Amino acid sequence: DFGVNDTRLGGDGRRAMFVPYLVAESGWQWDAFAAHVADIAAAYAMSVIASELNGVGDAATRMLQLAIEAKGVRRPQTAVVGVWTDMRRKQAGFGKLKLFLQRGLLVLPRHPELLKQLRALEFEQSAAGGVRISVPENKGHDDLAMALMQAVSCLGVPEEWRWYTDLPPFPHDWERDRVWQ
């Protein structure tokens, strides 16, 4: 039984972040999806909602901002932030995701499609020296994996998680310095 103040969560006396909500549907109209996200934002204390600007994302991001405002989500800490998903953001985001998982700081749901997409991710070195990260078309989609990467990208370093808990993020300062520098 893990209680709210249980120090076993996340290992080493630290608490882990977890994915509390995941939905995978296709065919949603933009306005219906934006209204759904606004409902979630009204129910939970969300700091950041990352919305992709690539492709048609600019219009979708604006629709999401309007839906959040229409729903009356006025918490000053909630923001819809437009992000460009490029090679650098994917590298940084998936690197952070891997580190958090390895350190026991992130708990994923047992969602078959999410886990399938994460297993199918391929990393390919480009001629320019960057790394392309995606699920090949013949293996399926990467929407859930990319959404998870966007969410994890919005998380600060564990030292900043003190606001959420009274537990120190690391048991020793030397460990923090070794991991985050």
Side-chain angles (χ1 to χ4, degrees):
D1 183 4
F2 289 91
V4 172
N5 294 316
D6 197 308
T7 60
R8 293 177 293 174
L9 298 175
D12 295 336
R14 291 169 287 156
R15 294 202 184 160
M17 298 295 248
F18 67 98
V19 178
Y21 183 80
L22 177 65
V23 63
E25 290 196 30
S26 60
W28 267 0
Q29 297 296 316
W30 289 0
D31 58 341
F33 179 74
H36 180 75
V37 174
D39 288 341
I40 301 297
Y44 295 93
M46 297 172 72
S47 299
V48 177
I49 301 169
S51 182
E52 192 173 65
L53 294 171
N54 304 46
V56 297
D58 191 37
T61 297
R62 184 65 188 137
M63 188 174 289
L64 180 55
Q65 290 168 332
L66 293 172
I68 295 289
E69 291 170 14
K71 188 70 178 176
V73 179
R74 303 227 190 278
R75 287 189 290 283
Q77 73 270 20
T78 302
V80 176
V81 178
V83 295
W84 287 97
T85 307
D86 58 10
M87 206 180 308
R88 291 184 323 176
R89 183 166 177 87
K90 286 183 184 181
Q91 283 178 253
F94 280 112
K96 192 180 225 184
L97 175 63
K98 181 179 178 182
L99 179 65
F100 283 3
L101 288 169
Q102 289 174 337
R103 303 280 301 155
L105 295 172
L106 181 66
V107 178
L108 299 180
R110 290 185 177 152
H111 189 281
E113 185 60 25
L114 171 64
L115 299 176
K116 176 184 167 189
Q117 289 181 21
L118 290 172
R119 280 191 300 272
L121 281 173
E122 291 188 1
F123 301 77
E124 178 186 345
Q125 188 81 31
S126 73
V131 178
R132 287 189 195 104
I133 305 171
S134 64
V135 172
E137 285 186 34
N138 65 343
K139 291 187 179 179
H141 299 281
D142 62 6
D143 297 340
L144 292 175
M146 293 300 160
L148 177 63
M149 180 274 303
Q150 297 288 14
V152 169
S153 293
C154 295
L155 292 173
V157 294
E159 289 86 352
E160 297 171 359
W161 297 359
R162 286 188 183 136
W163 185 82
Y164 299 104
T165 179
D166 57 353
L167 297 172
F170 290 100
H172 308 288
D173 286 342
W174 65 265
E175 187 176 3
R176 178 200 66 222
D177 295 338
R178 181 175 57 85
V179 173
W180 295 107
Q181 288 187 1

